Amino acid sequence: MPSVGIEGPVVSRGLDGDGAVEAPPFGNANEIGWYRGGARPGAAGVAVFVGHMDTRAKPAVFYRLGDVRPGEEVTVTRADGRTAVFTVERVETVAKDDFDAQRVYGQHKRGRAEIRLLTCGGAYEPEERSYTGNLVVSGYLTRTGTG
């Protein structure tokens, strides 16, 4: 996302013990995790990407994800070297207590190629060392091309 300076290597991720998409380790906070159980970027369905907003010492790959606005583009370079370009449709913070996986991860329009980018959001709770919610950026495929 050149508009906000977000760029990083993408690594394949599964689910953690709680059933959430496993984020990259904090030691690799510049990496973006792609949920391999979902759609591939540009294919029908929802391609899910997760990344850290920060670490104890510094900002991480999705630190500026909250600066993304509807209408901006997200470009994903796929394993085959082609690009999938998505247009941001919605940016929202979802409280962890109200997190509805089907609403967050589900398709907004049936058969459409979509993307979700997730990181921590809401207020930081120092005693818990966590945030109260998740920032979710949703978009839809607008074009594909070569690297």
Side-chain angles (χ1 to χ4, degrees), residues 2 10 13 15 21 24 45 48 50 57 66 74 79 84 88 93 95 97 101-102 104-105 120 123 132 140 142 146:
V10 175
R13 305 302 288 171
L15 298 176
V21 178
V48 177
V50 297
V74 176
V88 174
T93 300
D97 293 341
Q102 179 55 42
V104 172
Y105 298 127
C120 295
T132 58
Y140 57 93
T142 47
T146 55

Side-chain angles (χ1 to χ4, degrees), residues 28-47:
N28 299 347
N30 67 319
E31 292 180 345
I32 300 167
W34 164 68
Y35 175 53
R36 64 178 166 261
R40 292 187 178 278
V46 180

Side-chain angles (χ1 to χ4, degrees), residues 3 15 25 51 57 65 68 83 98 102 106 114 116-117 119 121 130 132:
S3 62
L15 298 176
L65 191 62
V68 173
T83 58
D98 297 327
Q102 179 55 42
E114 299 182 16
R116 300 291 182 280
L117 306 167
T119 194
S130 68
T132 58

Side-chain angles (χ1 to χ4, degrees), residues 98-113:
D98 297 327
F99 194 90
D100 178 349
Q102 179 55 42
R103 188 178 71 75
V104 172
Y105 298 127
Q107 279 190 298
H108 292 170
K109 292 192 178 171
R110 191 171 181 82
R112 181 168 77 164

Side-chain angles (χ1 to χ4, degrees), residues 37-60:
R40 292 187 178 278
V46 180
V48 177
F49 294 87
V50 297
H52 294 291
M53 183 171 63
D54 57 17
T55 68
R56 287 185 188 174
K58 62 183 180 176

